[in-house]
Amino acid sequence: MDYFEPKTVSEALSLLAKHGAEAKVIAGGTDVMVDIKYKEEPGCLINIKKIPGLGAIQENGASLRIGALTTIRDLETSALVRDKLPVLWEASHQFASLQIRNTATIGGNICRASPSGETLTPLLVLDAKAKIAFSDGEKTEPFASFFQGPGKCSVGSKGLLTEIDVPYPAAGSKSVYLKHAVRGAMDIAMVGVAVLITPDAAKNSLQDVRIGLGAVAPTPLRASKTEALLRGKPLTVALSKEAAAMAASESSPISDQRSSAEYRSWIVEALTRRGLEQTWKAATGKEVA
Ligand SMILES: Cc1cc2nc3c(=O)[nH]c(=O)nc-3n(C[C@H](O)[C@H](O)[C@H](O)COP(=O)(O)OP(=O)(O)OC[C@H]3O[C@@H](n4cnc5c(N)ncnc54)[C@H](O)[C@@H]3O)c2cc1C
């Protein structure tokens, strides 16, 4: 197996263009090394960890730019992420062990495109955009259209994710990331739900609602029908129950070694309801009646 350590993005892109489908990018390696051990060895490894400038977290007007090489631990210890993007910060806490968080990158989590990837539902509800470099130019892709199936995303085999641009949620909004796993953070999510709500000025109704569902479909997804049902209404117990059931119907979970599809549906329902009621109370100061 050939091994390269490019020092610039353009050098990495030339290597990707030259070695084609047999090449594999490696960042933290927490997914790639497991694949090499238990699945297959790529023809060549392109280690991007030594490319400078891809690991920064920077304010950019009304958004935060997060470099692809930012580690999960960097997210977890960033005051900017905690204050501006609490739902992403919360997910970083529930991500594996400290050893893994120290090594795993946000870019690797995104490009792995696993339906259960911890940062993906928070990035979906935050309306984040991915910046992808190719040898013939670059493009910016909204997360809404970024994921194409398990392990498949807009980066493809020739692209390099360089940065994520994450807009700040509206003032007064509240969010939560809820993960269901047998061994908590040490386990891959059986179901992950991110909820972000913004109440109207009088705090009487839901001006905006965003619900991200993870590990319950071939890609992480937004429960858009459920969001439409809730928008413009006050959250009541009856509406919260109806919305939670609708969110479960928008998912299409599979049965695997972690859970049955039926159990995953129940958990989507339970976590969506919990997420809605928790954020409503936090945003309005009112109990759900
Ligand atoms: C013990 C253990 C526990 C784990 N727990 C969790 C968990 O709780 N939650 C969770 O979400 N994940 C978990 N994971 C999975 C893994 O840690 C994450 O997906 C991690 O974020 C991957 O990042 P990395 O930098 O290690 O990626 P790598 O392994 O280096 O790469 C992952 C994939 O992304 C591609 N890639 C990486 N960076 C780029 C880039 N900039 N541009 C283009 N392609 C790129 C690689 O080619 C590869 O296909 C766990 C893994 C292990 C081993």
Side-chain angles (χ1 to χ4, degrees), residues 136-156:
D136 57 354
E138 63 176 29
K139 71 171 178 178
T140 300
E141 174 103 26
F143 268 74
S145 53
F146 182 85
F147 299 105
Q148 293 145 11
K152 293 202 179 84
C153 66
S154 300
V155 171

PDB file of all heavy atoms in Angstrom, residues 136-156:
ATOM      1  N   ASP A 136     -10.494  20.599 -10.120  1.00  0.00           N
ATOM      2  CA  ASP A 136     -10.893  21.632 -11.084  1.00  0.00           C
ATOM      3  C   ASP A 136     -11.768  22.730 -10.473  1.00  0.00           C
ATOM      4  O   ASP A 136     -12.502  23.418 -11.174  1.00  0.00           O
ATOM      5  CB  ASP A 136     -11.627  20.984 -12.279  1.00  0.00           C
ATOM      6  CG  ASP A 136     -12.849  20.182 -11.832  1.00  0.00           C
ATOM      7  OD1 ASP A 136     -13.038  20.037 -10.598  1.00  0.00           O
ATOM      8  OD2 ASP A 136     -13.604  19.724 -12.686  1.00  0.00           O
ATOM      9  N   GLY A 137     -11.735  22.892  -9.169  1.00  0.00           N
ATOM     10  CA  GLY A 137     -12.501  23.975  -8.532  1.00  0.00           C
ATOM     11  C   GLY A 137     -13.108  23.524  -7.220  1.00  0.00           C
ATOM     12  O   GLY A 137     -12.805  22.444  -6.727  1.00  0.00           O
ATOM     13  N   GLU A 138     -13.958  24.377  -6.633  1.00  0.00           N
ATOM     14  CA  GLU A 138     -14.588  23.977  -5.375  1.00  0.00           C
ATOM     15  C   GLU A 138     -16.074  24.298  -5.410  1.00  0.00           C
ATOM     16  O   GLU A 138     -16.522  25.111  -6.223  1.00  0.00           O
ATOM     17  CB  GLU A 138     -13.908  24.646  -4.176  1.00  0.00           C
ATOM     18  CG  GLU A 138     -13.982  26.141  -4.135  1.00  0.00           C
ATOM     19  CD  GLU A 138     -13.368  26.716  -2.858  1.00  0.00           C
ATOM     20  OE1 GLU A 138     -12.460  26.121  -2.289  1.00  0.00           O
ATOM     21  OE2 GLU A 138     -13.847  27.794  -2.447  1.00  0.00           O
ATOM     22  N   LYS A 139     -16.828  23.621  -4.546  1.00  0.00           N
ATOM     23  CA  LYS A 139     -18.256  23.934  -4.464  1.00  0.00           C
ATOM     24  C   LYS A 139     -18.705  23.936  -3.004  1.00  0.00           C
ATOM     25  O   LYS A 139     -18.048  23.332  -2.138  1.00  0.00           O
ATOM     26  CB  LYS A 139     -19.080  22.943  -5.280  1.00  0.00           C
ATOM     27  CG  LYS A 139     -19.171  21.542  -4.723  1.00  0.00           C
ATOM     28  CD  LYS A 139     -20.203  20.726  -5.504  1.00  0.00           C
ATOM     29  CE  LYS A 139     -20.260  19.303  -4.985  1.00  0.00           C
ATOM     30  NZ  LYS A 139     -21.245  18.467  -5.640  1.00  0.00           N
ATOM     31  N   THR A 140     -19.821  24.642  -2.774  1.00  0.00           N
ATOM     32  CA  THR A 140     -20.407  24.674  -1.442  1.00  0.00           C
ATOM     33  C   THR A 140     -21.748  23.971  -1.522  1.00  0.00           C
ATOM     34  O   THR A 140     -22.578  24.316  -2.355  1.00  0.00           O
ATOM     35  CB  THR A 140     -20.583  26.140  -0.984  1.00  0.00           C
ATOM     36  OG1 THR A 140     -19.295  26.745  -0.975  1.00  0.00           O
ATOM     37  CG2 THR A 140     -21.177  26.223   0.401  1.00  0.00           C
ATOM     38  N   GLU A 141     -21.927  22.973  -0.676  1.00  0.00           N
ATOM     39  CA  GLU A 141     -23.138  22.139  -0.763  1.00  0.00           C
ATOM     40  C   GLU A 141     -23.900  22.192   0.569  1.00  0.00           C
ATOM     41  O   GLU A 141     -23.333  21.899   1.617  1.00  0.00           O
ATOM     42  CB  GLU A 141     -22.693  20.697  -1.064  1.00  0.00           C
ATOM     43  CG  GLU A 141     -23.779  19.676  -1.045  1.00  0.00           C
ATOM     44  CD  GLU A 141     -24.211  19.273  -2.444  1.00  0.00           C
ATOM     45  OE1 GLU A 141     -23.407  19.384  -3.384  1.00  0.00           O
ATOM     46  OE2 GLU A 141     -25.378  18.836  -2.557  1.00  0.00           O
ATOM     47  N   PRO A 142     -25.193  22.525   0.540  1.00  0.00           N
ATOM     48  CA  PRO A 142     -25.974  22.475   1.793  1.00  0.00           C
ATOM     49  C   PRO A 142     -26.080  21.038   2.293  1.00  0.00           C
ATOM     50  O   PRO A 142     -26.141  20.102   1.483  1.00  0.00           O
ATOM     51  CB  PRO A 142     -27.362  22.992   1.383  1.00  0.00           C
ATOM     52  CG  PRO A 142     -27.243  23.483  -0.012  1.00  0.00           C
ATOM     53  CD  PRO A 142     -25.998  22.916  -0.615  1.00  0.00           C
ATOM     54  N   PHE A 143     -26.112  20.879   3.604  1.00  0.00           N
ATOM     55  CA  PHE A 143     -26.227  19.526   4.153  1.00  0.00           C
ATOM     56  C   PHE A 143     -27.519  18.841   3.730  1.00  0.00           C
ATOM     57  O   PHE A 143     -27.590  17.617   3.680  1.00  0.00           O
ATOM     58  CB  PHE A 143     -26.096  19.561   5.686  1.00  0.00           C
ATOM     59  CG  PHE A 143     -24.678  19.359   6.104  1.00  0.00           C
ATOM     60  CD1 PHE A 143     -23.754  20.371   5.943  1.00  0.00           C
ATOM     61  CD2 PHE A 143     -24.246  18.148   6.601  1.00  0.00           C
ATOM     62  CE1 PHE A 143     -22.425  20.181   6.270  1.00  0.00           C
ATOM     63  CE2 PHE A 143     -22.918  17.943   6.935  1.00  0.00           C
ATOM     64  CZ  PHE A 143     -22.022  18.962   6.770  1.00  0.00           C
ATOM     65  N   ALA A 144     -28.537  19.633   3.419  1.00  0.00           N
ATOM     66  CA  ALA A 144     -29.828  19.057   3.005  1.00  0.00           C
ATOM     67  C   ALA A 144     -29.662  18.136   1.797  1.00  0.00           C
ATOM     68  O   ALA A 144     -30.412  17.179   1.636  1.00  0.00           O
ATOM     69  CB  ALA A 144     -30.804  20.178   2.691  1.00  0.00           C
ATOM     70  N   SER A 145     -28.667  18.420   0.927  1.00  0.00           N
ATOM     71  CA  SER A 145     -28.485  17.574  -0.266  1.00  0.00           C
ATOM     72  C   SER A 145     -27.136  16.854  -0.279  1.00  0.00           C
ATOM     73  O   SER A 145     -26.732  16.276  -1.275  1.00  0.00           O
ATOM     74  CB  SER A 145     -28.614  18.442  -1.528  1.00  0.00           C
ATOM     75  OG  SER A 145     -27.737  19.552  -1.447  1.00  0.00           O
ATOM     76  N   PHE A 146     -26.416  16.893   0.837  1.00  0.00           N
ATOM     77  CA  PHE A 146     -25.041  16.384   0.891  1.00  0.00           C
ATOM     78  C   PHE A 146     -24.966  14.851   0.951  1.00  0.00           C
ATOM     79  O   PHE A 146     -24.109  14.233   0.340  1.00  0.00           O
ATOM     80  CB  PHE A 146     -24.358  16.988   2.128  1.00  0.00           C
ATOM     81  CG  PHE A 146     -22.923  16.610   2.313  1.00  0.00           C
ATOM     82  CD1 PHE A 146     -21.913  17.321   1.668  1.00  0.00           C
ATOM     83  CD2 PHE A 146     -22.564  15.552   3.131  1.00  0.00           C
ATOM     84  CE1 PHE A 146     -20.578  16.973   1.844  1.00  0.00           C
ATOM     85  CE2 PHE A 146     -21.233  15.196   3.306  1.00  0.00           C
ATOM     86  CZ  PHE A 146     -20.242  15.916   2.657  1.00  0.00           C
ATOM     87  N   PHE A 147     -25.896  14.233   1.702  1.00  0.00           N
ATOM     88  CA  PHE A 147     -25.808  12.778   1.928  1.00  0.00           C
ATOM     89  C   PHE A 147     -26.627  12.021   0.889  1.00  0.00           C
ATOM     90  O   PHE A 147     -27.771  12.364   0.622  1.00  0.00           O
ATOM     91  CB  PHE A 147     -26.283  12.428   3.345  1.00  0.00           C
ATOM     92  CG  PHE A 147     -25.446  13.084   4.405  1.00  0.00           C
ATOM     93  CD1 PHE A 147     -25.920  14.173   5.109  1.00  0.00           C
ATOM     94  CD2 PHE A 147     -24.162  12.633   4.660  1.00  0.00           C
ATOM     95  CE1 PHE A 147     -25.135  14.807   6.063  1.00  0.00           C
ATOM     96  CE2 PHE A 147     -23.362  13.258   5.615  1.00  0.00           C
ATOM     97  CZ  PHE A 147     -23.858  14.339   6.311  1.00  0.00           C
ATOM     98  N   GLN A 148     -26.024  10.974   0.322  1.00  0.00           N
ATOM     99  CA  GLN A 148     -26.713  10.242  -0.753  1.00  0.00           C
ATOM    100  C   GLN A 148     -27.039   8.792  -0.390  1.00  0.00           C
ATOM    101  O   GLN A 148     -27.758   8.120  -1.120  1.00  0.00           O
ATOM    102  CB  GLN A 148     -25.853  10.292  -2.021  1.00  0.00           C
ATOM    103  CG  GLN A 148     -25.755  11.696  -2.588  1.00  0.00           C
ATOM    104  CD  GLN A 148     -24.418  12.006  -3.221  1.00  0.00           C
ATOM    105  OE1 GLN A 148     -23.602  11.112  -3.421  1.00  0.00           O
ATOM    106  NE2 GLN A 148     -24.180  13.266  -3.534  1.00  0.00           N
ATOM    107  N   GLY A 149     -26.504   8.295   0.700  1.00  0.00           N
ATOM    108  CA  GLY A 149     -26.758   6.908   1.122  1.00  0.00           C
ATOM    109  C   GLY A 149     -25.696   6.536   2.130  1.00  0.00           C
ATOM    110  O   GLY A 149     -24.764   7.320   2.361  1.00  0.00           O
ATOM    111  N   PRO A 150     -25.780   5.331   2.733  1.00  0.00           N
ATOM    112  CA  PRO A 150     -24.762   4.965   3.722  1.00  0.00           C
ATOM    113  C   PRO A 150     -23.370   5.010   3.078  1.00  0.00           C
ATOM    114  O   PRO A 150     -23.138   4.356   2.058  1.00  0.00           O
ATOM    115  CB  PRO A 150     -25.147   3.533   4.116  1.00  0.00           C
ATOM    116  CG  PRO A 150     -26.567   3.376   3.672  1.00  0.00           C
ATOM    117  CD  PRO A 150     -26.770   4.283   2.499  1.00  0.00           C
ATOM    118  N   GLY A 151     -22.475   5.811   3.623  1.00  0.00           N
ATOM    119  CA  GLY A 151     -21.108   5.912   3.101  1.00  0.00           C
ATOM    120  C   GLY A 151     -20.990   6.752   1.836  1.00  0.00           C
ATOM    121  O   GLY A 151     -19.895   6.860   1.280  1.00  0.00           O
ATOM    122  N   LYS A 152     -22.079   7.345   1.378  1.00  0.00           N
ATOM    123  CA  LYS A 152     -22.017   8.120   0.125  1.00  0.00           C
ATOM    124  C   LYS A 152     -22.415   9.573   0.361  1.00  0.00           C
ATOM    125  O   LYS A 152     -23.465   9.845   0.945  1.00  0.00           O
ATOM    126  CB  LYS A 152     -22.983   7.526  -0.905  1.00  0.00           C
ATOM    127  CG  LYS A 152     -22.598   6.154  -1.399  1.00  0.00           C
ATOM    128  CD  LYS A 152     -23.267   5.903  -2.760  1.00  0.00           C
ATOM    129  CE  LYS A 152     -22.887   4.559  -3.318  1.00  0.00           C
ATOM    130  NZ  LYS A 152     -23.694   3.456  -2.825  1.00  0.00           N
ATOM    131  N   CYS A 153     -21.547  10.472  -0.136  1.00  0.00           N
ATOM    132  CA  CYS A 153     -21.861  11.894   0.011  1.00  0.00           C
ATOM    133  C   CYS A 153     -21.258  12.654  -1.153  1.00  0.00           C
ATOM    134  O   CYS A 153     -20.570  12.074  -2.001  1.00  0.00           O
ATOM    135  CB  CYS A 153     -21.330  12.420   1.346  1.00  0.00           C
ATOM    136  SG  CYS A 153     -19.536  12.428   1.463  1.00  0.00           S
ATOM    137  N   SER A 154     -21.518  13.963  -1.202  1.00  0.00           N
ATOM    138  CA  SER A 154     -21.102  14.784  -2.351  1.00  0.00           C
ATOM    139  C   SER A 154     -19.592  14.873  -2.530  1.00  0.00           C
ATOM    140  O   SER A 154     -19.132  15.351  -3.559  1.00  0.00           O
ATOM    141  CB  SER A 154     -21.644  16.204  -2.189  1.00  0.00           C
ATOM    142  OG  SER A 154     -23.030  16.169  -2.129  1.00  0.00           O
ATOM    143  N   VAL A 155     -18.813  14.454  -1.540  1.00  0.00           N
ATOM    144  CA  VAL A 155     -17.353  14.536  -1.654  1.00  0.00           C
ATOM    145  C   VAL A 155     -16.845  13.523  -2.695  1.00  0.00           C
ATOM    146  O   VAL A 155     -15.884  13.791  -3.424  1.00  0.00           O
ATOM    147  CB  VAL A 155     -16.707  14.289  -0.267  1.00  0.00           C
ATOM    148  CG1 VAL A 155     -15.208  14.149  -0.365  1.00  0.00           C
ATOM    149  CG2 VAL A 155     -17.061  15.428   0.674  1.00  0.00           C
ATOM    150  N   GLY A 156     -17.506  12.374  -2.780  1.00  0.00           N
ATOM    151  CA  GLY A 156     -17.117  11.346  -3.754  1.00  0.00           C
ATOM    152  C   GLY A 156     -15.691  10.863  -3.544  1.00  0.00           C
ATOM    153  O   GLY A 156     -15.117  11.015  -2.463  1.00  0.00           O
TER     154      GLY A 156
END
